[in-house]
């Protein structure tokens, strides 16, 4: 994993203008002033309508201490009728980080990303009218140093515990439920020679009655052993177990139940 | 202290080569201004007891301005030789420390102790004779394993202050107990918790206790390799030792146990906050947004160290709260 991102580093450093150097290229409308916004728009939205919207909040540290585990929380709950949320980072070697369909859960999600350098991290929420609402924040990954994660040390357990789910539910003060769940998975980016891409493709969380609470499609930049924070409004689920199902890109299944 | 360490960019020599290339490219327009004279840490040994000197660093984070001089080092002068305690953040620091020692005594440096494996404590090793460099065995192994990663990041944080700095792994393994070095009676106390191994040095003649980074004074403790439970136990041990003055790893020299108590108070609060947050199911971004209470506000760098500590320590607390088998 580290080496994957090392390769990515080189590509980035030499292949892309540093953000500060090329601000002139940014369309005035991008509140984050990223020279890559035009590319992002072409890549993800093509002919769709896009607006920058403060109601889509992205929380992340201004400076990432550990570039392999940058905590990000997306909150689009101020919008109604969110059908899909897309998360991407303009300057990451793999730009798309994940997408999710909120279903009956709230249109918010916490997770961790691998980021290679300072970059906007953005969330785009599509409402029923087809309009994409984009919010985001800059994350600096070069100023504060990164910590030493025990990435390599845990590799033996990937074989033994691959796709194992550990999860817990918490009652919230509003009567809703918080679900946090972690899946054991290396989330290899495929950018390093000899290490093929290997990541979770899909994660579906359903209620006892089969109704969809949230479907998450993590992409390569999601940190290893992904941990998600999901909020479910009051009255949506009862005391029955939730179901988690999914698979990685090699077809290995993910299956678990989360009791209250 | 803050072992900046391993960004993905900071892996092994290819990354360093890349970084060096990048730095040299970036520095072309500036290089005429950067004369060697500017890279002077102005190390001024302060005599705190008979034959005991300290070099007190700034209570800041690594920067291009301070060149990594954010650490305390020290040395004790015996009848036959000098014992140095830590060597600072760079080759330049080590060389300037050595020169500072030579201004005070003509005696040779016979023992150089690296108290733990954080880069600001051993990257000056190059300036000292290889056979004088010593540390606890776990520290030696940790410098071997993590030193190159630290070095890359130190270049990034401290810039040209780091020029020509390389990792020199100490080869003399120390053990806890009383030693005589240079004609000075020293008690080596092997503890841990700030890192895998933290060596405390007590100079019997003067009653000076060099606590390494187990104690921070007026500056928020750093936790990238911390085991807080073990660290708190180490602080209990330190409090039992009678000393006349305490030299913390970072911050001012003290004459009492107050910095031990302060370090403990902060670490207890940090551990409790992390445990509570994980047990309440808080997301890491929610933890990062919590304010540091006013009771710790006087500690330098506390807001940024708190957030770093969340990054270091919260994942394990989350796993525990989720019931992930270890
Ligand atoms: Zn330290």
């Amino acid at each position: 994993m580290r080496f994957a991102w090392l390769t990515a580093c080189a590509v980035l450093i030499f292949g892309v203008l540093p953000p500060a150097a090329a601000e002139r290229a940014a369309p005035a409308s991008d509140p984050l002033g990223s020279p890559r916004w035009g590319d992002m728009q072409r890549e993800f939205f093509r002919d769709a309508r896009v607006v920058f919207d403060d109601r889509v909040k992205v929380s992340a540290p201004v400076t990432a201490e550990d570039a392999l585990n940058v905590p990000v929380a997306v909150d689009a709950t101020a919008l109604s009728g969110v059908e899909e949320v897309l998360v991407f980072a303009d300057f990451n070697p793999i730009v798309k980080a994940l997408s999710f369909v909120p279903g009956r859960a709230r249109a918010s999600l916490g997770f961790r990303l691998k980021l290679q350098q300072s970059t906007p991290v953005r969330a785009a929420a599509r409402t029923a009218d087809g309009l994409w609402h984009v919010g985001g924040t800059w994350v600096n990954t070069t100023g504060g140093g990164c910590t030493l994660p025990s990435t390599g040390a845990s590799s033996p357990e990937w074989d033994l515990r691959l796709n194992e789910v550990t999860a817990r539910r918490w009652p919230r003060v509003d009567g809703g439920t918080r679900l946090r769940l972690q899946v054991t998975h290396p989330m290899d980016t495929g950018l390093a020679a000899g290490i093929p891409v290997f990541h979770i493709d899909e994660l579906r969380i359903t209620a006892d009655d089969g109704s969809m609470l949230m479907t998450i499609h993590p992409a390569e930049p999601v940190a290893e052993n992904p941990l998600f924070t999901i909020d479910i409004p009051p009255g949506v689920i009862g005391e029955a177990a939730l179901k988690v199902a999914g698979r990685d890109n090699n077809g290995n299944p993910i299956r678990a139940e989360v009791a209250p | 202290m803050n072992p900046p360490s391993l960004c993905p960019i900071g892996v092994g020599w290819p990354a360093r080569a890349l970084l060096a290339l990048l730095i040299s490219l970036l520095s072309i327009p500036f290089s005429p201004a950067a004369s060697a004279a500017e890279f002077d840490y102005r190390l001024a040994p302060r005599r705190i007891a008979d034959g005991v000197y300290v070099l007190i660093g700034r209570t800041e984070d690594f920067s291009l301005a301070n060149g990594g001089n954010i650490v305390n080092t020290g040395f004790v002068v015996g009848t036959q030789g000098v014992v140095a305690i830590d060597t600072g953040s760079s080759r330049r620091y080590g060389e300037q420390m050595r020169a500072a020692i030579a201004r005070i005594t003509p005696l040779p440096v016979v023992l150089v102790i690296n108290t733990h494996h954080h880069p600001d404590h051993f990257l000056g090793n190059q300036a000292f004779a290889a056979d004088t460099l010593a540390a606890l065995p776990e520290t030696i192994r940790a410098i071997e394993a993590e030193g190159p990663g630290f070095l890359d990041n130190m270049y990034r944080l401290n810039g040209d202050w780091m020029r020509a700095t390389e990792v020199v792994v100490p080869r003399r393994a120390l053990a806890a107990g009383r030693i005589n070095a240079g004609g000075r009676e020293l008690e080596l106390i092997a503890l841990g918790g700030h890192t895998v191994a933290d060596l405390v040095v007590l100079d019997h003649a003067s009653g000076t206790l060099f606590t390494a980074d187990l104690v921070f004074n007026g500056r928020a403790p750093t936790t990238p390799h911390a085991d807080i439970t073990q660290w708190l136990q180490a602080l209990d041990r330190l409090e039992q030792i009678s000393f006349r003055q305490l030299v913390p790893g970072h911050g001012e020299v003290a004459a009492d146990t107050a910095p031990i108590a302060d370090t403990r108070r902060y670490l207890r609060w940090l551990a409790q906050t992390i445990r509570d947050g994980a047990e309440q199911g808080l997301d890491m971004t929610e933890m990062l947004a919590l304010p540091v209470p006013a009771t710790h506000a006087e500690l330098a760098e506390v807001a940024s160290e708190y957030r770093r500590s969340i990054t270091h320590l919260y994942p394990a607390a989350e796993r525990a709260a989720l019931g992930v088998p270890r």
Side-chain angles (χ1 to χ4, degrees):
Chain A
M1 185 54 58
R2 287 177 200 154
F3 294 96
W5 287 82
L6 177 61
T7 309
C9 266
V11 171
L12 264 179
I13 287 167
F14 295 111
V16 182
L17 284 172
E23 254 162 42
R24 58 196 151 64
S29 55
D30 175 16
L32 298 182
S34 162
R36 295 269 288 153
W37 169 249
D39 296 337
M40 298 299 103
Q41 190 165 11
R42 274 188 296 279
E43 178 161 354
F44 294 114
F45 309 114
R46 290 198 181 88
D47 303 323
R49 289 178 304 135
V50 183
V51 291
F52 293 106
D53 192 333
D54 289 344
R55 289 175 295 177
V56 178
K57 292 184 184 61
V58 177
S59 305
V62 175
T63 299
E65 169 73 359
D66 177 358
L68 296 178
N69 287 282
V70 180
V72 178
V74 170
D75 182 355
T77 55
L79 297 171
S80 53
V82 173
E83 297 191 331
E84 184 185 6
V85 178
L86 175 66
V87 179
F88 55 94
D90 299 20
F91 283 93
N92 235 15
I94 296 171
V95 173
K96 184 181 169 183
L98 61 77
S99 65
F100 67 95
V101 175
R104 301 180 73 197
R106 292 193 194 279
S108 66
L109 185 65
F111 49 92
R112 265 125 48 201
L113 292 182
K114 301 182 286 259
L115 293 181
Q116 192 40 62
Q117 66 169 24
S118 299
T119 179
V121 175
R122 306 187 198 252
R126 181 171 50 80
T127 42
D129 54 6
L131 183 61
W132 287 95
H133 305 255
V134 178
T137 187
W138 273 93
V139 178
N140 178 359
T141 61
T142 57
C146 315
T147 41
L148 188 71
S150 56
T151 315
S154 58
S155 61
E157 88 174 11
W158 291 337
D159 292 337
L160 298 170
R161 299 185 46 219
L162 183 76
N163 285 347
E164 195 174 295
V165 176
T166 42
R168 182 170 163 187
R169 293 156 60 157
W170 283 266
R172 303 291 279 174
V173 276
D174 66 356
T177 301
R178 168 159 291 187
L179 172 66
R180 304 198 77 203
L181 71 92
Q182 184 162 37
V183 187
T184 304
H185 203 286
M187 299 297 287
D188 280 316
T189 60
L191 292 174
I195 305 176
V197 59
F198 187 34
H199 67 94
I200 299 170
D201 248 356
E202 185 183 67
L203 211 52
R204 292 186 311 278
I205 297 128
T206 49
D208 185 44
D209 61 6
S211 64
M212 204 264 282
L213 297 169
M214 184 178 283
T215 301
I216 305 169
H217 294 283
E220 296 88 333
V222 171
E224 72 177 86
N225 300 331
L227 173 57
F228 298 101
T229 304
I230 296 160
D231 283 319
I232 300 160
V236 170
I237 55 168
E239 290 301 294
L242 303 177
K243 289 192 172 59
V244 180
R247 57 179 167 73
D248 62 28
N249 65 321
N250 284 3
N252 301 304
I254 299 166
R255 218 166 274 127
E257 292 206 341
V258 189
Chain B
M1 60 163 287
N2 254 326
S5 86
L6 198 72
C7 276
I9 196 173
V11 184
W13 67 266
R16 188 148 75 247
L18 188 68
L19 206 63
L21 173 62
L22 204 64
I23 286 167
S24 64
L25 287 173
L26 290 171
S27 63
I28 288 165
F30 310 108
S31 53
S35 72
E38 286 170 44
F39 297 103
D40 184 352
Y41 290 107
R42 300 185 207 290
L43 300 179
R46 189 200 303 169
R47 184 178 171 281
I48 58 167
D50 189 24
V52 182
Y53 298 82
V54 292
L55 301 147
I56 302 295
R58 309 173 72 94
T59 51
E60 297 172 357
D61 200 355
F62 299 112
S63 72
L64 298 174
N66 61 39
N69 182 15
I70 59 160
V71 61
N72 295 345
T73 60
F75 56 95
V76 291
V77 183
T79 49
Q80 293 114 46
V82 178
V83 177
I85 297 163
D86 287 333
T87 61
S89 51
S90 65
R91 176 184 188 142
R92 289 185 207 268
Y93 186 105
E95 287 169 352
Q96 291 170 28
M97 179 181 180
R98 185 134 198 210
I101 295 170
R103 284 196 296 273
I104 284 169
T105 173
L107 291 171
V109 177
V110 295
L111 179 66
V112 178
I113 294 171
N114 294 146
T115 59
H116 66 294
H117 82 286
H118 283 168
D120 45 338
H121 297 262
F122 74 82
L123 281 179
N125 281 3
Q126 263 168 303
F128 297 89
D131 62 353
T132 61
L133 303 173
L136 291 170
E138 299 91 331
T139 300
I140 292 173
R141 280 196 293 275
I143 289 175
E144 245 160 6
E146 299 182 39
F150 292 159
L151 187 61
D152 289 333
N153 226 21
M154 290 290 274
Y155 271 86
R156 195 163 58 68
L157 295 169
N158 301 319
D160 217 8
W161 287 91
M162 300 304 298
R163 182 174 289 175
T165 303
E166 290 179 10
V167 173
V168 180
V169 181
R171 291 296 168 202
R172 271 170 75 178
L174 295 172
R178 191 178 280 245
I179 60 167
N180 184 302
R184 199 105 188 178
E185 290 282 312
L186 301 176
E187 186 84 27
L188 304 183
I189 303 156
L191 299 169
H194 172 67
T195 64
V196 62
D198 300 286
L199 186 59
V200 170
V201 180
L202 177 63
D203 172 55
H204 278 286
S206 65
T208 304
L209 188 67
F210 291 89
T211 65
D213 280 6
L214 288 170
V215 179
F216 283 67
N217 191 8
R219 200 252 188 237
T222 64
T223 60
H225 300 86
D227 175 332
I228 304 248
T229 307
Q230 197 192 359
W231 192 340
L232 289 168
Q233 286 163 0
L235 292 176
D236 292 344
R237 264 292 292 286
L238 289 181
E239 217 162 35
Q240 302 304 313
I241 298 167
S242 71
F243 59 83
R244 279 205 281 280
Q245 54 204 341
L246 178 156
V247 182
H250 300 267
E252 261 307 316
V253 176
D256 56 27
T257 57
I260 299 178
D262 288 350
T263 303
R264 178 194 287 121
R265 198 163 51 90
Y266 178 80
L267 292 177
R268 277 197 182 146
W269 165 78
L270 181 65
Q272 188 68 44
T273 302
I274 285 170
R275 232 179 355 254
D276 289 352
E279 271 306 311
Q280 289 159 16
L282 295 192
D283 189 74
M284 197 192 273
T285 53
E286 294 167 326
M287 290 299 292
L288 292 172
L290 294 179
V292 175
T295 43
H296 304 291
E298 79 284 3
L299 300 176
E301 304 287 329
V302 71
S304 57
E305 289 305 341
Y306 164 72
R307 288 194 293 267
R308 282 181 181 159
S309 292
I310 292 301
T311 313
H312 305 145
L313 303 172
Y314 199 57
E318 288 174 314
R319 283 194 296 276
L322 290 177
V324 176
R326 286 174 58 91

